[in-house]
Amino acid sequence: MLRLDLTGKRAFVAGVADDKGYGWAIAKALAEAGAEVILGTWPPVMRLFDTMLKGGKFEASRTLSNGEKLEFLKVYPLDATFDTPDDVPEEIKENKRYKAYAGYTISEVAAAVEKDFGKIDLLVHSLANAPEVQKPLLETSRQGYLAALSASSYSMVSLLAHFGPIMNEGGAALSLSYGAPNKAVPGYGGGMSSAKAALEGDTRKLAYEAGRKWGVRINAISAGPLGSRAAKAIGFIDSMIAYSMENAPLAKPLQAEEVGASAAFLLSPMASAITGEVLFVDNGLHAMGVAIDSRSLNA
Ligand code: NAD
């Protein structure tokens, strides 16, 4: 029987701070398949996430299909813009949203995970950030552009560089992209389309390097629009969801669980020959050459 079985596998999922985004859905799908899940959560939202998790706010979404609850082995504070303690500026260390935490740089979290749990098998990068995301690219500052790449693309390179050595051979990593490198998406600014282009290009390069070095596969999912907290902050997600409903081959809302299931497949031994791939999971929207709801088509 062909089974998506991740029993005995351990996953580190970076970029979960509530139950609405892709990271949560992927963590849940991995747990459904039998994997143990460790989370990395951005320090500024760590306290809120912890309070909601312990306060039972996610009880419904924690329920797995067998009736058991989704559990996390541990939730580490993680800021994916810092690689080592030396990278953390004094004002961040002293910032009240960071002060309660220590060891949140990528190298420190990788070392802590190894100390606490040993090796991992699966690595998920489900995070992005661009301080100027609401600005058109032509109005984006150099600093804003580089910040988008640092948080959203280099973060994957660094995560893999630090977690790769503690990944078992046959393991796999995955990041989340969006169709903006392939076609211009007005409103997705601040260098985010550039950051996703880098993330996708790096998927191929990292697949080669990590494949040869550790026997680990690297893939990305180019996901369709979802009303996550990050997407709501950009400001036009409802229109993008409506646009997809009107124009994609599959005229249905995209569920985070659908991306979770595709991620579980790509991370599982069922995809053992797939690496360096960017898989669209977007109800087929990427395949369309025209917007069928365009007024011009009826002119
Ligand atoms: P989300 O809000 O659930 O996830 C984004 C996470 O990134 C948050 O938990 C946030 O705290 C974290 N984060 C931000 N800066 C960080 C940093 N410096 N270090 C560590 N964590 C940091 O939203 P989401 O939409 O599910 O986003 C997950 C991924 O999916 C992102 O890469 C996003 O670009 C991608 N994606 C989203 C959509 C969409 O429409 N929502 C579509 C395609 C791809």
Side-chain angles (χ1 to χ4, degrees):
M1 189 167 53
L2 193 61
R3 289 187 63 221
L4 202 165
D5 185 6
L6 295 174
T7 311
K9 306 285 183 202
R10 194 172 294 132
F12 182 83
V13 181
V16 179
D18 59 35
D19 62 349
K20 302 285 183 289
Y22 284 135
W24 176 281
I26 293 170
K28 189 169 173 182
L30 296 178
E32 286 275 6
E36 293 180 317
V37 181
I38 305 166
L39 296 185
T41 297
W42 197 33
V45 287
M46 177 91 178
R47 189 183 308 278
L48 180 63
F49 179 55
D50 201 42
T51 307
M52 291 178 84
L53 193 59
K54 290 187 179 135
K57 292 280 189 262
F58 303 133
E59 282 318 278
S61 23
R62 278 184 58 225
T63 307
L64 302 172
S65 52
N66 64 3
E68 288 179 13
K69 293 286 179 188
L70 170 63
E71 302 284 353
F72 304 116
L73 287 181
K74 189 164 174 175
V75 182
Y76 292 87
L78 168 74
D79 191 320
T81 57
F82 304 126
D83 304 319
T84 67
D86 288 346
D87 297 336
V88 186
E90 213 47 47
E91 71 262 26
I92 293 286
K93 282 185 203 153
E94 293 307 317
N95 184 302
K96 65 176 189 325
R97 301 194 299 169
Y98 283 80
K99 219 170 170 167
Y101 306 108
Y104 46 76
T105 70
I106 292 177
S107 60
E108 291 171 289
V109 176
V113 168
E114 184 180 24
K115 183 165 165 283
D116 294 344
F117 302 105
K119 293 211 159 196
I120 65 163
D121 302 281
L122 313 172
L123 176 67
V124 178
H125 175 286
S126 182
L127 59 99
N129 214 337
E132 298 181 18
V133 68
Q134 291 178 338
K135 286 190 189 170
L137 188 54
L138 276 175
E139 292 167 27
T140 298
S141 70
R142 182 181 298 269
Q143 197 183 11
Y145 183 96
L146 293 176
L149 266 101
S150 169
S152 316
S153 327
Y154 186 76
S155 51
M156 175 63 187
V157 176
S158 180
L159 266 184
L160 188 62
H162 290 93
F163 278 86
I166 64 158
M167 288 181 76
N168 286 314
E169 192 172 342
L174 181 85
S175 68
L176 270 294
S177 190
Y178 175 55
N182 307 81
K183 295 182 182 154
V185 179
Y188 194 69
M192 268 314 299
S193 54
S194 325
K196 292 304 190 191
L199 188 68
E200 293 189 13
D202 291 348
T203 300
R204 294 177 276 273
K205 187 86 168 105
L206 294 174
Y208 166 63
E209 294 186 11
R212 292 299 174 115
K213 199 164 185 172
W214 303 303
V216 163
R217 297 179 298 106
I218 316 295
N219 292 299
I221 283 178
S222 180
L226 174 78
S228 65
R229 185 191 297 200
K232 286 191 172 138
I234 301 176
F236 68 112
I237 189 66
D238 292 337
S239 328
M240 292 313 288
I241 293 170
Y243 178 88
S244 182
M245 291 282 288
E246 292 297 329
N247 294 294
L250 300 176
K252 63 178 181 59
L254 177 66
Q255 307 294 339
E257 291 71 27
E258 295 176 289
V259 169
S262 304
F265 158 70
L266 282 174
L267 290 164
S268 78
M270 286 176 81
S272 59
I274 303 177
T275 191
E277 183 64 21
V278 181
L279 180 69
F280 284 102
V281 183
D282 66 345
N283 281 327
L285 186 63
H286 71 282
M288 297 300 294
V290 294
I292 54 173
D293 68 347
S294 169
R295 274 178 288 134
S296 342
L297 295 179
N298 300 317

